[in-house]
Amino acid sequence: MSETNELLLYIYQNCKMGNDTLTTLINTIKTKDNKIKKVLESEIKEFEKYIKDSEKLLKKNKVEIKEKGVMASIGSYMGIKIEMIKDNSDGRIADMLVKGMTMGIVDITKRLDNLGEEADKEVRKLAEKLKEYEQSEIKVLKSYL
């Protein structure tokens, strides 16, 4: 698989995991009085856009969409549930999301830095846009720490 297609698949999987995490979080705190809910809802909508955009490019490039493993999804789901039982405060939720997005930024930065000049410009642009979005969201989330 080309570097471009690997990056594209990474974008899809990263956004799908982010969306699943946010959905689990919002469902876990739906009966609580968390002020961060609107931020989570906004982030879900944004990740859904990135998922759709990456799906279109994956189909255009004839790349098979591969989901992350079931065990990884179950582990993530259980981890969130356990963390929310311990502490479901806005600060704790923001902390978890900042850490997750920071890991995503580091990963996508490395992938972009290692991407050759022949890489598809549309894919590169989508990756840069995702990176900028996550960086801006960290600033939003920090206000809840």
Side-chain angles (χ1 to χ4, degrees):
M1 183 181 301
S2 74
E3 288 178 331
T4 298
N5 289 338
E6 284 180 20
L7 176 60
L8 191 50
L9 188 57
Y10 169 78
I11 292 169
Y12 172 82
Q13 290 174 337
N14 183 52
C15 291
K16 188 86 167 77
M17 186 172 69
N19 192 49
D20 292 348
T21 298
L22 291 163
T23 301
T24 300
L25 275 170
I26 202 125
N27 287 335
T28 303
I29 63 169
K30 68 181 167 191
T31 61
K32 309 291 184 210
D33 190 30
N34 294 73
K35 292 175 178 57
I36 202 168
K37 284 180 189 175
K38 291 203 184 307
V39 173
L40 301 180
E41 290 166 355
S42 170
E43 289 175 350
I44 287 170
K45 288 178 185 166
E46 198 63 30
F47 276 122
E48 285 172 350
K49 290 178 194 174
Y50 284 103
I51 291 166
K52 285 179 185 168
D53 290 346
S54 59
E55 279 178 328
K56 284 179 195 171
L57 289 171
L58 285 163
K59 287 177 185 171
K60 177 182 167 186
N61 293 348
K62 297 178 174 80
V63 177
E64 180 185 347
I65 296 175
K66 297 176 186 172
E67 302 292 337
K68 290 246 178 177
V70 174
M71 292 309 290
S73 295
I74 291 171
S76 175
Y77 175 83
M78 294 305 293
I80 292 166
K81 290 290 192 179
I82 290 167
E83 286 300 314
M84 291 298 95
I85 289 170
K86 291 183 203 173
D87 179 2
N88 66 3
S89 67
D90 288 344
R92 180 64 188 127
I93 292 168
D95 181 61
M96 286 172 42
L97 295 176
V98 165
K99 287 176 181 170
M101 287 186 180
T102 299
M103 288 189 322
I105 292 166
V106 168
D107 215 11
I108 207 161
T109 299
K110 286 180 188 176
R111 290 170 187 267
L112 282 165
D113 288 348
N114 293 325
L115 205 56
E117 288 299 317
E118 73 285 348
D120 184 302
K121 303 233 183 297
E122 207 173 359
V123 174
R124 184 185 296 273
K125 184 178 175 184
L126 183 63
E128 290 286 356
K129 196 172 147 190
L130 174 60
K131 179 180 154 184
E132 289 169 12
Y133 170 70
E134 288 187 330
Q135 288 170 330
S136 70
E137 276 307 290
I138 286 174
K139 290 176 186 171
V140 171
L141 291 165
K142 283 181 177 179
S143 69
Y144 291 91
L145 295 175

